Amino acid sequence: MNWQIFSAEPGLLPQGIESRYGFHIVFIARKVPGKLLPFSAVQQKIAEYLNEKVRRKAVAQYIHTLIVNAEIDGFDFKL
């Protein structure tokens, strides 16, 4: 994530912002300050995010195990 955008004031940024997709010209039309929420308001979202992250990692590890143990000719998975 590019924190330059979040710390900038409204208007055209003086320089381009680089991302994995290339360089971008950024114009900030308006800036709305965020609010600090109590933990009880975000606890469920945090739990869902962490559970999903663990699930994705487990699936990736399972797929990796399948690839390592598979006998496939004609393609190098570079593992």
Side-chain angles (χ1 to χ4, degrees), residues 2-23:
N2 199 313
W3 297 105
Q4 295 168 317
I5 295 172
F6 294 106
S7 62
E9 293 301 318
L12 184 64
L13 293 185
Q15 60 199 29
I17 301 293
E18 186 177 7
S19 78
R20 65 181 175 172
Y21 302 108
F23 283 91

Side-chain angles (χ1 to χ4, degrees), residues 51-61:
N51 285 331
E52 180 64 19
K53 187 173 180 180
V54 168
R55 188 187 71 77
R56 286 178 186 256
K57 184 168 180 115
V59 169
Q61 288 173 338

Side-chain angles (χ1 to χ4, degrees), residues 59-70:
V59 169
Q61 288 173 338
Y62 176 68
I63 291 171
H64 181 268
T65 302
L66 291 176
I67 291 171
V68 167
N69 294 326

Side-chain angles (χ1 to χ4, degrees), residues 20-33:
R20 65 181 175 172
Y21 302 108
F23 283 91
H24 308 275
I25 296 172
V26 178
F27 179 83
I28 300 172
R30 69 184 184 129
K31 188 173 182 178
V32 178

